[in-house]
Amino acid sequence: MQYFKRLKKEFSGYSASAFAGDVMAGITVSAVALPLALAFGVSSGATAASGMITAILAGIVIGLLSGASYQISGPTGAMAAILVSLAAAYGMNGMLTAGLISGILLILAAVFRLGRLVAYIPSPVITGFTSGIALVIALGQIDNFFGTVSEGTGVAEKLISYTSLGFKPHLFTVLFGVLAIAIMVLWPKKWNAKVPGSLIAIIVCLILNMVLSPEGVAVVGEIPRTILSPDRLRLTNIPFKDMGALISPAISIAALGMIESLLCGASAGKMKDEKLDANQELIAQGVGNILLPFFGGIPATAAIARTSVAIKSGQRTRITGIVHSLILLASMFLLSPFMSRIPLSALAGVLMVTAWRMNEWHFIKYIFRNKLKFPIIQYLVTMIVTLFSDLTIAIIAGVVVSMILYVVQSNLNIAVEKADKTVIFRLSGILFFGSQEKLLESITENTADAEEVVLDFAGLAVFEDSVSGELHTTIASLKESGKTVRLEGLAGKIAAQAERAGITELVKK
Protein backbone atom coordinates (compact mmCIF):
# COMPACT_ATOMS: atom_id res chain seq x y z
CA MET A 1 0.00 0.00 0.00
CA GLN A 2 1.34 3.43 -1.00
CA TYR A 3 0.64 4.93 2.43
CA PHE A 4 2.90 2.46 4.24
CA LYS A 5 5.63 2.87 1.63
CA ARG A 6 5.50 6.62 2.25
CA LEU A 7 5.74 6.06 6.02
CA LYS A 8 8.72 3.73 5.60
CA LYS A 9 10.54 6.31 3.50
CA GLU A 10 9.60 9.13 5.90
CA PHE A 11 11.05 7.38 8.96
CA SER A 12 14.03 5.83 7.20
CA GLY A 13 17.12 6.69 9.24
CA TYR A 14 15.05 8.47 11.88
CA SER A 15 17.33 9.50 14.74
CA ALA A 16 17.28 11.15 18.15
CA SER A 17 18.26 14.48 16.59
CA ALA A 18 15.40 14.22 14.09
CA PHE A 19 13.01 13.47 16.96
CA ALA A 20 14.32 16.50 18.87
CA GLY A 21 13.66 18.63 15.77
CA ASP A 22 10.10 17.32 15.57
CA VAL A 23 9.51 18.03 19.26
CA MET A 24 10.81 21.60 19.04
CA ALA A 25 8.73 22.24 15.91
CA GLY A 26 5.67 20.78 17.66
CA ILE A 27 6.15 23.12 20.63
CA THR A 28 6.42 26.13 18.29
CA VAL A 29 3.32 25.13 16.32
CA SER A 30 1.29 24.61 19.50
CA ALA A 31 2.03 28.22 20.50
CA VAL A 32 0.51 29.34 17.20
CA ALA A 33 -2.38 26.88 17.35
CA LEU A 34 -3.59 27.58 20.91
CA PRO A 35 -5.06 31.08 20.47
CA LEU A 36 -6.40 30.19 17.01
CA ALA A 37 -8.09 27.02 18.29
CA LEU A 38 -9.89 29.03 20.98
CA ALA A 39 -10.82 31.82 18.56
CA PHE A 40 -12.05 29.59 15.72
CA GLY A 41 -14.04 27.46 18.16
CA VAL A 42 -15.95 30.53 19.38
CA SER A 43 -16.30 32.15 15.94
CA SER A 44 -17.73 28.95 14.44
CA GLY A 45 -20.80 29.19 16.67
CA ALA A 46 -19.55 26.36 18.92
CA THR A 47 -17.31 26.84 21.98
CA ALA A 48 -13.64 27.43 22.72
CA ALA A 49 -13.51 23.86 24.04
CA SER A 50 -14.73 22.56 20.67
CA GLY A 51 -11.90 24.43 18.97
CA MET A 52 -9.36 22.85 21.32
CA ILE A 53 -10.80 19.36 20.85
CA THR A 54 -10.67 19.83 17.07
CA ALA A 55 -7.03 20.95 17.10
CA ILE A 56 -6.00 18.09 19.40
CA LEU A 57 -7.73 15.24 17.54
CA ALA A 58 -7.13 16.58 14.02
CA GLY A 59 -3.43 16.96 14.75
CA ILE A 60 -3.22 13.31 15.77
CA VAL A 61 -5.75 11.48 13.55
CA ILE A 62 -5.45 13.48 10.32
CA GLY A 63 -1.73 14.00 10.89
CA LEU A 64 -1.07 10.27 11.18
CA LEU A 65 -3.09 9.41 8.06
CA SER A 66 -1.99 12.44 6.00
CA GLY A 67 -0.72 12.25 2.45
CA ALA A 68 2.50 14.05 3.44
CA SER A 69 4.79 14.34 6.44
CA TYR A 70 4.18 18.04 7.01
CA GLN A 71 0.41 18.71 7.08
CA ILE A 72 -0.91 20.22 10.35
CA SER A 73 -4.72 20.14 10.51
CA GLY A 74 -7.20 21.79 12.82
CA PRO A 75 -9.95 24.44 12.93
CA THR A 76 -9.52 27.28 10.43
CA GLY A 77 -11.00 30.71 9.86
CA ALA A 78 -12.41 29.76 6.48
CA MET A 79 -14.24 26.79 7.97
CA ALA A 80 -15.52 28.86 10.91
CA ALA A 81 -17.03 31.34 8.44
CA ILE A 82 -19.19 28.57 6.96
CA LEU A 83 -20.09 26.98 10.29
CA VAL A 84 -21.34 30.05 12.15
CA SER A 85 -24.48 30.46 10.04
CA LEU A 86 -25.02 26.70 10.05
CA ALA A 87 -24.89 26.60 13.87
CA ALA A 88 -27.32 29.53 14.07
CA ALA A 89 -29.81 27.79 11.80
CA TYR A 90 -29.57 24.15 12.97
CA GLY A 91 -27.82 24.25 16.34
CA MET A 92 -24.76 22.36 17.49
CA ASN A 93 -26.14 18.95 16.52
CA GLY A 94 -26.96 20.15 13.01
CA MET A 95 -23.45 21.58 12.56
CA LEU A 96 -21.78 18.42 13.83
CA THR A 97 -24.00 16.24 11.63
CA ALA A 98 -23.03 18.30 8.58
CA GLY A 99 -19.40 17.77 9.58
CA LEU A 100 -19.98 14.02 9.74
CA ILE A 101 -21.56 14.01 6.27
CA SER A 102 -18.68 16.10 4.91
CA GLY A 103 -16.22 13.48 6.16
CA ILE A 104 -18.06 10.79 4.21
CA LEU A 105 -18.06 13.02 1.11
CA LEU A 106 -14.31 13.58 1.41
CA ILE A 107 -13.66 9.83 1.43
CA LEU A 108 -15.90 9.46 -1.63
CA ALA A 109 -13.92 12.27 -3.29
CA ALA A 110 -10.75 10.27 -2.64
CA VAL A 111 -12.28 7.09 -4.05
CA PHE A 112 -13.30 8.88 -7.25
CA ARG A 113 -10.01 10.85 -7.36
CA LEU A 114 -11.70 14.24 -7.40
CA GLY A 115 -8.73 16.01 -5.82
CA ARG A 116 -7.35 16.78 -9.28
CA LEU A 117 -10.31 19.15 -9.88
CA VAL A 118 -8.75 21.71 -7.52
CA ALA A 119 -6.07 22.35 -10.17
CA TYR A 120 -8.80 23.65 -12.51
CA ILE A 121 -10.01 26.39 -10.18
CA PRO A 122 -8.47 29.68 -11.43
CA SER A 123 -6.20 31.59 -9.05
CA PRO A 124 -8.44 34.73 -9.06
CA VAL A 125 -11.40 32.56 -7.96
CA ILE A 126 -9.43 31.06 -5.05
CA THR A 127 -8.19 34.51 -4.05
CA GLY A 128 -11.74 35.88 -4.34
CA PHE A 129 -13.34 33.37 -1.99
CA THR A 130 -10.41 33.73 0.43
CA SER A 131 -11.10 37.49 0.58
CA GLY A 132 -14.84 36.83 0.89
CA ILE A 133 -14.25 34.45 3.80
CA ALA A 134 -11.93 37.00 5.43
CA LEU A 135 -14.73 39.57 5.31
CA VAL A 136 -17.23 37.07 6.76
CA ILE A 137 -14.83 36.35 9.64
CA ALA A 138 -14.14 40.03 10.40
CA LEU A 139 -17.78 41.13 10.17
CA GLY A 140 -18.84 38.12 12.22
CA GLN A 141 -16.71 39.37 15.13
CA ILE A 142 -18.35 42.80 15.44
CA ASP A 143 -20.50 41.76 18.43
CA ASN A 144 -17.64 40.13 20.32
CA PHE A 145 -15.29 43.04 19.56
CA PHE A 146 -17.69 45.84 20.55
CA GLY A 147 -19.83 44.01 23.13
CA THR A 148 -22.98 44.61 21.08
CA VAL A 149 -25.90 42.36 20.13
CA SER A 150 -27.26 41.55 16.66
CA GLU A 151 -29.81 39.16 15.17
CA GLY A 152 -29.87 37.01 12.04
CA THR A 153 -27.81 34.22 10.50
CA GLY A 154 -26.11 35.98 7.59
CA VAL A 155 -23.79 38.99 7.44
CA ALA A 156 -26.39 41.27 5.85
CA GLU A 157 -29.10 40.34 8.36
CA LYS A 158 -26.83 41.00 11.32
CA LEU A 159 -25.70 44.39 10.02
CA ILE A 160 -29.28 45.46 9.28
CA SER A 161 -30.43 44.38 12.76
CA TYR A 162 -28.33 47.14 14.34
CA THR A 163 -30.82 49.69 12.97
CA SER A 164 -33.53 48.29 15.26
CA LEU A 165 -31.45 46.94 18.17
CA GLY A 166 -29.05 49.85 18.34
CA PHE A 167 -25.25 49.82 18.46
CA LYS A 168 -23.83 50.59 21.91
CA PRO A 169 -20.17 49.52 22.32
CA HIS A 170 -18.89 48.52 25.77
CA LEU A 171 -15.75 50.50 26.63
CA PHE A 172 -13.60 47.84 28.30
CA THR A 173 -14.65 45.23 25.76
CA VAL A 174 -13.47 47.46 22.90
CA LEU A 175 -10.22 48.29 24.73
CA PHE A 176 -9.32 44.59 25.04
CA GLY A 177 -10.02 44.08 21.35
CA VAL A 178 -7.97 47.09 20.29
CA LEU A 179 -5.11 46.02 22.57
CA ALA A 180 -5.05 42.52 21.00
CA ILE A 181 -4.91 44.03 17.50
CA ALA A 182 -2.17 46.50 18.49
CA ILE A 183 0.01 43.77 19.98
CA MET A 184 -0.33 41.53 16.91
CA VAL A 185 0.38 44.36 14.49
CA LEU A 186 3.35 45.77 16.44
CA TRP A 187 4.89 42.46 17.50
CA PRO A 188 8.27 42.14 15.68
CA LYS A 189 8.31 39.59 12.86
CA LYS A 190 11.63 38.12 14.00
CA TRP A 191 10.08 37.32 17.40
CA ASN A 192 6.87 36.04 15.83
CA ALA A 193 8.69 32.99 14.43
CA LYS A 194 9.37 31.79 18.00
CA VAL A 195 6.55 33.31 20.05
CA PRO A 196 3.49 34.35 17.99
CA GLY A 197 2.00 37.78 18.62
CA SER A 198 -1.48 36.26 18.87
CA LEU A 199 -0.44 34.25 21.95
CA ILE A 200 1.13 37.31 23.59
CA ALA A 201 -2.03 39.33 22.85
CA ILE A 202 -4.23 36.71 24.53
CA ILE A 203 -1.95 36.42 27.58
CA VAL A 204 -1.74 40.20 28.09
CA CYS A 205 -5.51 40.65 27.77
CA LEU A 206 -6.11 37.71 30.13
CA ILE A 207 -3.82 39.15 32.82
CA LEU A 208 -5.42 42.59 32.56
CA ASN A 209 -8.91 41.10 32.77
CA MET A 210 -7.98 39.08 35.85
CA VAL A 211 -6.37 42.10 37.54
CA LEU A 212 -8.98 44.73 36.65
CA SER A 213 -12.10 42.47 36.60
CA PRO A 214 -14.18 45.05 34.68
CA GLU A 215 -17.94 44.51 34.64
CA GLY A 216 -19.75 43.54 31.46
CA VAL A 217 -16.80 41.99 29.61
CA ALA A 218 -17.82 38.69 28.01
CA VAL A 219 -15.29 35.88 28.46
CA VAL A 220 -14.66 32.45 26.93
CA GLY A 221 -16.33 30.64 29.82
CA GLU A 222 -15.72 27.22 31.32
CA ILE A 223 -13.53 24.83 29.33
CA PRO A 224 -14.14 21.22 30.44
CA ARG A 225 -11.00 19.19 31.16
CA THR A 226 -11.96 16.46 28.73
CA ILE A 227 -11.82 15.73 25.01
CA LEU A 228 -15.36 14.31 25.20
CA SER A 229 -17.50 17.44 25.04
CA PRO A 230 -20.97 17.32 26.60
CA ASP A 231 -22.17 18.86 23.32
CA ARG A 232 -20.78 16.00 21.23
CA LEU A 233 -22.82 14.23 18.59
CA ARG A 234 -24.39 10.92 19.59
CA LEU A 235 -26.09 8.41 17.33
CA THR A 236 -29.29 8.99 19.31
CA ASN A 237 -29.39 12.77 18.70
CA ILE A 238 -28.56 12.97 15.00
CA PRO A 239 -31.26 15.30 13.54
CA PHE A 240 -32.54 12.98 10.79
CA LYS A 241 -35.46 15.36 10.11
CA ASP A 242 -32.97 18.03 8.97
CA MET A 243 -30.78 15.64 6.98
CA GLY A 244 -32.02 16.88 3.59
CA ALA A 245 -31.35 20.52 4.51
CA LEU A 246 -27.86 19.66 5.82
CA ILE A 247 -26.64 18.09 2.57
CA SER A 248 -25.91 21.44 0.89
CA PRO A 249 -23.84 22.89 3.77
CA ALA A 250 -22.08 19.51 4.11
CA ILE A 251 -21.04 19.76 0.46
CA SER A 252 -19.70 23.26 1.16
CA ILE A 253 -17.72 21.99 4.16
CA ALA A 254 -16.31 19.07 2.14
CA ALA A 255 -15.44 21.34 -0.80
CA LEU A 256 -13.63 23.78 1.47
CA GLY A 257 -11.86 20.94 3.27
CA MET A 258 -10.66 19.55 -0.04
CA ILE A 259 -9.56 22.90 -1.45
CA GLU A 260 -7.82 24.16 1.70
CA SER A 261 -6.05 20.88 2.40
CA LEU A 262 -4.81 20.31 -1.16
CA LEU A 263 -3.74 23.93 -1.65
CA CYS A 264 -1.94 23.82 1.70
CA GLY A 265 -0.24 20.59 0.64
CA ALA A 266 0.81 22.03 -2.71
CA SER A 267 2.22 25.20 -1.15
CA ALA A 268 3.97 23.47 1.77
CA GLY A 269 5.20 20.72 -0.54
CA LYS A 270 7.23 23.30 -2.46
CA MET A 271 8.72 24.55 0.81
CA LYS A 272 9.82 21.04 1.82
CA ASP A 273 10.34 19.57 -1.65
CA GLU A 274 7.91 16.76 -0.92
CA LYS A 275 4.87 16.02 -3.06
CA LEU A 276 1.47 15.55 -1.42
CA ASP A 277 -0.52 12.35 -2.07
CA ALA A 278 -3.84 14.08 -2.75
CA ASN A 279 -6.06 11.01 -2.45
CA GLN A 280 -4.47 9.88 0.81
CA GLU A 281 -4.88 13.41 2.18
CA LEU A 282 -8.60 13.35 1.34
CA ILE A 283 -8.95 9.99 3.11
CA ALA A 284 -7.20 11.46 6.17
CA GLN A 285 -9.43 14.54 6.17
CA GLY A 286 -12.50 12.33 5.69
CA VAL A 287 -11.68 9.97 8.55
CA GLY A 288 -10.84 12.88 10.84
CA ASN A 289 -14.07 14.72 10.10
CA ILE A 290 -16.14 11.56 10.61
CA LEU A 291 -14.62 11.05 14.09
CA LEU A 292 -14.51 14.68 15.29
CA PRO A 293 -18.30 15.23 15.74
CA PHE A 294 -18.51 12.28 18.18
CA PHE A 295 -16.02 14.08 20.45
CA GLY A 296 -17.64 17.51 20.02
CA GLY A 297 -15.11 18.80 17.52
CA ILE A 298 -15.98 21.02 14.57
CA PRO A 299 -14.91 20.23 10.97
CA ALA A 300 -11.17 20.54 10.40
CA THR A 301 -8.85 21.01 7.46
CA ALA A 302 -5.12 21.42 6.85
CA ALA A 303 -3.94 24.90 7.86
CA ILE A 304 -1.20 26.60 5.85
CA ALA A 305 -0.16 28.96 8.69
CA ARG A 306 0.50 26.14 11.18
CA THR A 307 1.99 23.88 8.50
CA SER A 308 4.45 26.52 7.27
CA VAL A 309 5.47 27.35 10.87
CA ALA A 310 6.18 23.65 11.43
CA ILE A 311 8.39 23.37 8.35
CA LYS A 312 10.28 26.58 9.14
CA SER A 313 10.81 25.36 12.72
CA GLY A 314 12.66 22.22 11.63
CA GLN A 315 9.83 19.69 11.25
CA ARG A 316 11.03 16.31 9.95
CA THR A 317 8.06 13.92 10.20
CA ARG A 318 4.38 13.78 11.17
CA ILE A 319 5.51 13.38 14.79
CA THR A 320 5.47 17.20 14.88
CA GLY A 321 1.68 17.26 14.55
CA ILE A 322 1.27 14.71 17.33
CA VAL A 323 3.56 16.67 19.67
CA HIS A 324 1.61 19.87 18.96
CA SER A 325 -1.63 18.05 19.85
CA LEU A 326 -0.24 16.61 23.10
CA ILE A 327 0.89 20.07 24.21
CA LEU A 328 -2.58 21.47 23.45
CA LEU A 329 -4.10 18.58 25.43
CA ALA A 330 -1.85 19.37 28.40
CA SER A 331 -2.81 23.05 28.13
CA MET A 332 -6.49 22.11 28.17
CA PHE A 333 -6.11 20.17 31.42
CA LEU A 334 -3.66 22.49 33.18
CA LEU A 335 -4.67 25.97 31.96
CA SER A 336 -8.45 25.73 31.49
CA PRO A 337 -9.24 27.89 34.60
CA PHE A 338 -7.15 30.68 33.10
CA MET A 339 -8.33 30.24 29.49
CA SER A 340 -11.93 30.54 30.67
CA ARG A 341 -11.21 34.17 31.68
CA ILE A 342 -9.94 35.29 28.25
CA PRO A 343 -12.07 38.20 26.96
CA LEU A 344 -14.02 37.32 23.80
CA SER A 345 -13.10 40.72 22.39
CA ALA A 346 -9.41 39.76 22.58
CA LEU A 347 -10.15 36.65 20.52
CA ALA A 348 -12.17 38.84 18.14
CA GLY A 349 -9.15 41.12 17.73
CA VAL A 350 -6.94 38.12 16.94
CA LEU A 351 -9.46 36.93 14.35
CA MET A 352 -9.72 40.34 12.70
CA VAL A 353 -5.95 40.52 12.22
CA THR A 354 -5.94 36.89 11.03
CA ALA A 355 -8.70 37.73 8.53
CA TRP A 356 -6.69 40.66 7.18
CA ARG A 357 -3.60 38.48 6.78
CA MET A 358 -5.59 35.74 5.04
CA ASN A 359 -5.89 37.88 1.93
CA GLU A 360 -3.40 37.18 -0.84
CA TRP A 361 -2.39 40.83 -1.04
CA HIS A 362 0.49 40.31 -3.47
CA PHE A 363 -1.86 38.77 -6.05
CA ILE A 364 -4.66 41.30 -5.42
CA LYS A 365 -2.22 44.21 -5.89
CA TYR A 366 -0.82 42.56 -9.01
CA ILE A 367 -4.15 42.21 -10.85
CA PHE A 368 -5.39 45.70 -9.90
CA ARG A 369 -2.06 47.45 -10.50
CA ASN A 370 -1.84 45.95 -13.98
CA LYS A 371 -5.57 46.46 -14.64
CA LEU A 372 -6.11 42.81 -15.61
CA LYS A 373 -9.84 42.99 -16.35
CA PHE A 374 -10.68 39.29 -16.51
CA PRO A 375 -8.91 38.28 -13.27
CA ILE A 376 -10.43 41.33 -11.51
CA ILE A 377 -13.94 40.29 -12.57
CA GLN A 378 -13.31 36.70 -11.46
CA TYR A 379 -11.98 37.93 -8.12
CA LEU A 380 -14.80 40.40 -7.37
CA VAL A 381 -17.65 38.08 -8.41
CA THR A 382 -16.33 35.23 -6.26
CA MET A 383 -15.68 37.49 -3.26
CA ILE A 384 -19.16 39.06 -3.36
CA VAL A 385 -20.95 35.72 -3.79
CA THR A 386 -18.90 34.24 -0.91
CA LEU A 387 -19.86 37.16 1.33
CA PHE A 388 -23.60 36.88 0.71
CA SER A 389 -24.01 33.19 -0.19
CA ASP A 390 -21.97 30.04 0.49
CA LEU A 391 -18.65 28.65 -0.66
CA THR A 392 -19.97 26.04 -3.08
CA ILE A 393 -22.08 28.57 -4.98
CA ALA A 394 -19.20 31.07 -4.90
CA ILE A 395 -16.76 28.61 -6.49
CA ILE A 396 -19.30 27.56 -9.12
CA ALA A 397 -20.04 31.22 -9.87
CA GLY A 398 -16.32 32.02 -10.16
CA VAL A 399 -15.62 29.10 -12.48
CA VAL A 400 -18.69 29.81 -14.64
CA VAL A 401 -17.63 33.45 -14.98
CA SER A 402 -14.15 32.25 -15.94
CA MET A 403 -15.61 30.02 -18.65
CA ILE A 404 -17.75 32.84 -19.99
CA LEU A 405 -14.83 35.26 -20.02
CA TYR A 406 -12.43 32.97 -21.80
CA VAL A 407 -14.69 30.63 -23.76
CA VAL A 408 -11.77 28.44 -24.53
CA GLN A 409 -10.82 24.84 -23.97
CA SER A 410 -7.74 23.45 -22.38
CA ASN A 411 -5.74 23.11 -25.57
CA LEU A 412 -2.02 23.22 -24.84
CA ASN A 413 0.46 21.13 -26.77
CA ILE A 414 3.94 20.56 -25.33
CA ALA A 415 6.77 19.10 -27.38
CA VAL A 416 9.72 18.15 -25.19
CA GLU A 417 13.16 17.95 -26.80
CA LYS A 418 16.28 16.81 -24.94
CA ALA A 419 19.87 17.27 -26.01
CA ASP A 420 22.73 16.60 -23.59
CA LYS A 421 21.81 18.57 -20.45
CA THR A 422 19.36 20.91 -22.22
CA VAL A 423 15.57 20.43 -22.20
CA ILE A 424 13.43 22.44 -24.62
CA PHE A 425 9.67 22.88 -24.14
CA ARG A 426 8.00 23.98 -27.37
CA LEU A 427 4.54 25.31 -26.48
CA SER A 428 1.60 25.73 -28.83
CA GLY A 429 -2.08 26.46 -28.29
CA ILE A 430 -3.58 28.06 -25.19
CA LEU A 431 -1.85 28.48 -21.82
CA PHE A 432 -4.53 29.36 -19.23
CA PHE A 433 -5.70 28.21 -15.79
CA GLY A 434 -7.08 24.94 -17.17
CA SER A 435 -3.82 23.94 -18.86
CA GLN A 436 -1.18 25.38 -16.51
CA GLU A 437 -0.97 22.16 -14.48
CA LYS A 438 -0.05 20.23 -17.63
CA LEU A 439 2.92 22.53 -18.28
CA LEU A 440 4.10 22.64 -14.66
CA GLU A 441 3.98 18.85 -14.34
CA SER A 442 5.88 18.45 -17.62
CA ILE A 443 8.59 20.82 -16.39
CA THR A 444 8.87 18.97 -13.07
CA GLU A 445 9.05 15.55 -14.75
CA ASN A 446 11.63 16.45 -17.38
CA THR A 447 14.11 18.81 -15.72
CA ALA A 448 15.52 16.78 -12.82
CA ASP A 449 18.92 16.24 -14.52
CA ALA A 450 18.88 19.26 -16.81
CA GLU A 451 21.36 22.11 -16.59
CA GLU A 452 19.53 24.35 -19.06
CA VAL A 453 15.77 24.75 -19.58
CA VAL A 454 14.35 26.48 -22.67
CA LEU A 455 10.73 27.63 -22.91
CA ASP A 456 9.70 28.27 -26.51
CA PHE A 457 6.53 30.42 -26.66
CA ALA A 458 6.47 30.79 -30.45
CA GLY A 459 3.41 28.58 -30.94
CA LEU A 460 1.27 30.06 -28.15
CA ALA A 461 -1.96 31.72 -29.20
CA VAL A 462 -2.96 32.75 -25.66
CA PHE A 463 -0.88 33.31 -22.52
CA GLU A 464 -3.51 34.02 -19.87
CA ASP A 465 -2.84 36.39 -16.94
CA SER A 466 -3.74 34.08 -14.04
CA VAL A 467 -1.00 31.58 -15.07
CA SER A 468 1.77 34.16 -14.60
CA GLY A 469 2.17 33.71 -10.85
CA GLU A 470 2.65 29.93 -10.94
CA LEU A 471 4.98 30.11 -13.96
CA HIS A 472 7.03 32.83 -12.26
CA THR A 473 7.36 30.62 -9.14
CA THR A 474 8.38 27.58 -11.21
CA ILE A 475 11.07 29.50 -13.13
CA ALA A 476 12.40 30.99 -9.89
CA SER A 477 12.60 27.48 -8.42
CA LEU A 478 14.53 26.22 -11.47
CA LYS A 479 17.02 29.08 -11.18
CA GLU A 480 17.46 28.54 -7.44
CA SER A 481 18.35 24.91 -8.13
CA GLY A 482 21.22 26.10 -10.34
CA LYS A 483 19.63 25.65 -13.76
CA THR A 484 19.84 28.17 -16.59
CA VAL A 485 16.49 29.25 -18.01
CA ARG A 486 16.00 30.79 -21.48
CA LEU A 487 12.87 32.11 -23.18
CA GLU A 488 12.42 31.88 -26.95
CA GLY A 489 9.72 32.86 -29.42
CA LEU A 490 8.43 35.84 -27.46
CA ALA A 491 6.57 38.35 -29.61
CA GLY A 492 3.58 40.66 -29.54
CA LYS A 493 1.03 40.11 -26.74
CA ILE A 494 2.82 37.02 -25.47
CA ALA A 495 6.05 39.02 -25.00
CA ALA A 496 4.12 41.85 -23.33
CA GLN A 497 2.47 39.41 -20.90
CA ALA A 498 5.82 37.80 -20.02
CA GLU A 499 7.28 41.27 -19.46
CA ARG A 500 4.33 42.43 -17.34
CA ALA A 501 4.48 39.30 -15.17
CA GLY A 502 8.17 39.87 -14.48
CA ILE A 503 9.12 36.56 -16.13
CA THR A 504 11.42 38.16 -18.72
CA GLU A 505 13.26 40.12 -16.05
CA LEU A 506 13.51 37.06 -13.79
CA VAL A 507 15.19 35.00 -16.54
CA LYS A 508 17.75 37.76 -17.21
CA LYS A 509 18.95 37.82 -13.59
Side-chain angles (χ1 to χ4, degrees), residues 117-134:
L117 295 179
V118 174
Y120 294 96
I121 302 176
S123 296
V125 172
I126 293 173
T127 304
F129 82 68
T130 301
S131 293
I133 286 169

Side-chain angles (χ1 to χ4, degrees), residues 69-222:
S69 67
Y70 46 78
Q71 296 276 76
I72 306 291
S73 294
T76 65
M79 192 65 78
I82 291 180
L83 299 177
V84 64
S85 59
L86 183 59
Y90 298 100
M92 188 72 172
N93 276 344
M95 179 177 68
L96 296 180
T97 301
L100 170 63
I101 298 171
S102 75
I104 296 171
L105 293 176
L106 283 167
I107 291 180
L108 289 174
V111 171
F112 291 102
R113 299 181 176 275
L114 299 182
R116 69 187 71 179
L117 295 179
V118 174
Y120 294 96
I121 302 176
S123 296
V125 172
I126 293 173
T127 304
F129 82 68
T130 301
S131 293
I133 286 169
L135 281 170
V136 171
I137 292 171
L139 293 174
Q141 291 306 303
I142 290 177
D143 284 345
N144 285 338
F145 188 88
F146 290 99
T148 54
V149 177
S150 62
E151 293 178 348
T153 56
V155 171
E157 291 178 8
K158 288 185 176 182
L159 292 176
I160 293 172
S161 71
Y162 291 125
T163 59
S164 58
L165 297 174
F167 189 82
K168 300 176 181 177
H170 182 269
L171 178 60
F172 271 101
T173 298
V174 175
L175 288 177
F176 281 128
V178 171
L179 178 60
I181 290 175
I183 291 173
M184 285 189 70
V185 171
L186 298 175
W187 191 250
K189 288 185 178 180
K190 61 180 179 180
W191 296 354
N192 203 59
K194 297 294 182 183
V195 183
S198 57
L199 182 62
I200 299 301
I202 295 301
I203 292 173
V204 171
C205 291
L206 167 62
I207 293 173
L208 287 175
N209 190 42
M210 294 179 70
V211 172
L212 299 175
S213 297
E215 293 185 6
V217 174
V219 295
V220 166
E222 183 183 1

Side-chain angles (χ1 to χ4, degrees), residues 318-480:
R318 59 194 73 213
I319 296 296
T320 292
I322 297 172
V323 171
H324 125 278
S325 291
L326 293 178
I327 293 173
L328 290 179
L329 180 63
S331 300
M332 192 174 186
F333 279 90
L334 299 175
L335 302 177
S336 59
F338 300 101
M339 292 192 291
S340 65
R341 299 284 302 276
I342 296 172
L344 287 180
S345 58
L347 292 180
V350 169
L351 284 174
M352 286 180 172
V353 176
T354 302
W356 174 265
R357 292 174 177 173
M358 278 176 62
N359 287 282
E360 298 174 28
W361 291 113
H362 62 286
F363 183 78
I364 296 170
K365 291 176 181 177
Y366 170 74
I367 61 174
F368 279 92
R369 183 173 60 245
N370 293 289
K371 300 178 181 179
L372 307 178
K373 291 185 290 185
F374 287 179
I376 289 173
I377 294 172
Q378 290 171 287
Y379 169 77
L380 292 176
V381 168
T382 310
M383 181 181 68
I384 293 169
V385 176
T386 302
L387 184 59
F388 295 105
S389 184
D390 65 60
L391 176 69
T392 308
I393 295 175
I395 293 174
I396 292 172
V399 173
V400 168
V401 167
S402 301
M403 294 172 66
I404 293 173
L405 289 173
Y406 296 100
V407 198
V408 292
Q409 296 178 342
S410 180
N411 181 24
L412 176 68
N413 297 311
I414 305 171
V416 182
E417 300 175 8
K418 296 183 179 180
D420 296 326
K421 293 292 184 177
T422 299
V423 182
I424 303 172
F425 297 88
R426 301 199 186 280
L427 312 180
S428 61
I430 299 165
L431 180 55
F432 79 126
F433 67 84
S435 60
Q436 69 174 14
E437 196 68 15
K438 181 179 178 181
L439 173 60
L440 300 181
E441 285 182 358
S442 182
I443 292 174
T444 301
E445 291 171 1
N446 291 285
T447 59
D449 299 320
E451 293 179 359
E452 183 180 50
V453 178
V454 180
L455 298 176
D456 183 359
F457 292 81
L460 275 187
V462 174
F463 179 10
E464 195 264 319
D465 291 319
S466 62
V467 181
S468 302
E470 285 291 338
L471 188 57
H472 190 285
T473 300
T474 301
I475 292 174
S477 178
L478 289 171
K479 289 177 69 65
E480 287 174 3

Side-chain angles (χ1 to χ4, degrees), residues 264-283:
C264 173
S267 177
K270 292 177 183 177
M271 293 172 62
K272 202 181 175 190
D273 194 23
E274 177 186 338
K275 191 172 182 180
L276 176 77
D277 183 335
N279 289 314
Q280 180 61 40
E281 183 64 27
L282 292 181
I283 290 173

